[in-house]
Amino acid sequence: MHHAFTIRALLKQLPVRIETAVAYGDRLLLGTATGALLVYQVSEADRDRVPTLTLVETKKSFARKAVEQLGVIKEAGVLVCLADGMVTLYDLHTLANATPLTNTRGAHIIALHTGVDHIDGIPTLVSKLATYGKRKVVVLEWRDAEFYKSFEFSAAEKIVAMQFSAPGLLVLSTAREFLTLQLPRGQWDDLFPADTASLRTVAGGMAVGHIVDAAASSDTAPGPQTSAPSGGMWGSWALSLSGSSADVQTTIARMPSDKLLLCHKDTGVFINSAGKLCRNEYSEPMVF
């Protein structure tokens, strides 16, 4: 069985419910149901030693309501926080200088991507933040760590999951189908229906992966949507724990080698950075 990660209990019996987590460098940030933000320093780990966490800062009034999602744009020094139906940007190093993004009111999903894009033939480090709410996708773009501009696109149906597959391509799901949104053109394209039978049919036996929910067989936090680590001791990853595993019908998960895993319940297909079906490299079920 292929495991997407190794589960180790680092913190136990916390006095508050953790809704989301994000890690970068040697820092682990936990967003809570009360709106507090907990900042931990993570020790170096080796094969024989479990990492230790030290609480270095607590921001009790970080948000007025539950912190639903956190994200890091390390290159721009930005911490992204989704709480109370709005996205707010903070200075990553001081966790201050809050900048509410009023055009994201009603947001309930965020996705981030950083990579090299060729703009006018020049390699440019591009970071993008996408949010969805009220039938509207808002995309903010940074170029070489400087804010560039924002874009808005109307969505015909409610979006329930989304991830970037490339700087210029956003993969999304409604309750009925998977879609792509080309950026910055704003062109929507259908991929395939978001149901188990359709995923098995479109894959033709090539790309189907069977997904095992780790929460279904343990008392660990249920129903995560994750972004995979991307280098360094912790790299940078985010985890959202909103909703129970039984409620999570459709998930889009980032995988190694610039692939996405598009899942409905316990069945998924792999697509590459261009949004095309690709081969399943994992012969055994994956645990998420």
Side-chain angles (χ1 to χ4, degrees):
M1 179 177 292
H2 171 78
H3 292 262
F5 48 76
T6 299
I7 299 175
R8 292 178 175 176
L10 302 181
L11 295 171
K12 297 180 180 180
Q13 298 179 337
L14 289 170
V16 291
R17 174 181 169 81
I18 303 303
E19 297 288 342
T20 183
V22 66
Y24 71 97
D26 67 346
R27 288 292 189 266
L28 174 65
L29 279 59
L30 304 180
T32 73
T34 63
L37 182 72
L38 309 179
V39 183
Y40 287 86
Q41 183 176 20
V42 185
S43 69
E44 288 280 0
D46 54 38
R47 184 175 301 177
D48 301 319
R49 186 164 60 92
V50 176
T52 59
L53 274 62
T54 303
L55 182 64
V56 295
E57 188 173 5
T58 299
K59 288 189 168 291
K60 292 184 178 180
S61 302
F62 186 71
R64 293 189 301 173
K65 295 186 178 181
V67 179
E68 300 170 33
Q69 282 186 262
L70 293 169
V72 167
I73 306 175
K74 183 173 60 175
E75 294 73 15
V78 171
L79 174 67
V80 181
C81 174
L82 172 60
D84 197 17
M86 186 187 300
V87 174
T88 302
L89 306 182
Y90 295 85
D91 183 288
L92 179 60
H93 307 293
T94 66
L95 304 179
N97 303 325
T99 304
L101 303 179
T102 56
N103 61 341
T104 66
R105 292 186 187 277
H108 61 87
I109 307 174
I110 64 173
L112 298 105
H113 185 278
T114 296
V116 176
D117 198 3
H118 287 76
I119 300 174
D120 297 328
I122 302 173
T124 305
L125 186 65
V126 176
S127 297
K128 291 183 179 180
L129 162 66
T131 76
Y132 171 79
K134 295 185 175 180
R135 300 289 174 90
K136 178 177 67 175
V137 177
V138 178
V139 179
L140 289 83
E141 181 176 326
W142 288 258
R143 294 185 178 181
D144 289 331
E146 297 293 330
F147 179 72
Y148 173 61
K149 67 185 302 184
S150 64
F151 309 85
E152 294 189 10
F153 308 96
S154 297
E157 297 184 56
K158 180 181 178 180
I159 303 299
V160 298
M162 67 179 182
Q163 287 280 2
F164 283 95
S165 66
L169 192 66
L170 192 60
V171 180
L172 314 94
S173 177
T174 68
R176 299 188 304 113
E177 61 183 340
F178 290 102
L179 312 160
T180 60
L181 175 61
Q182 296 184 32
L183 305 173
R185 295 171 57 190
Q187 177 177 321
W188 293 86
D189 294 297
D190 298 340
L191 284 179
F192 33 75
D195 62 79
T196 301
S198 295
L199 292 181
R200 292 187 178 277
T201 299
V202 299
M206 177 182 72
V208 171
H210 179 64
I211 316 304
V212 179
D213 184 1
S217 57
S218 72
D219 57 359
T220 57
Q225 289 198 23
T226 68
S227 296
S230 58
M233 186 181 83
W234 280 74
S236 178
W237 57 261
L239 172 67
S240 176
L241 304 177
S242 56
S244 67
S245 59
D247 296 332
V248 179
Q249 298 291 315
T250 303
T251 302
I252 304 175
R254 188 174 301 283
M255 303 296 290
S257 304
D258 294 325
K259 294 180 181 179
L260 294 181
L261 178 59
L262 281 55
C263 310
H264 180 75
K265 296 184 178 179
D266 65 347
T267 301
V269 299
F270 293 86
I271 63 171
N272 60 23
S273 60
K276 304 298 183 183
L277 284 171
C278 60
R279 188 167 299 279
N280 175 12
E281 298 176 353
Y282 310 107
S283 59
E284 300 294 336
M286 287 165 290
V287 177
F288 284 91

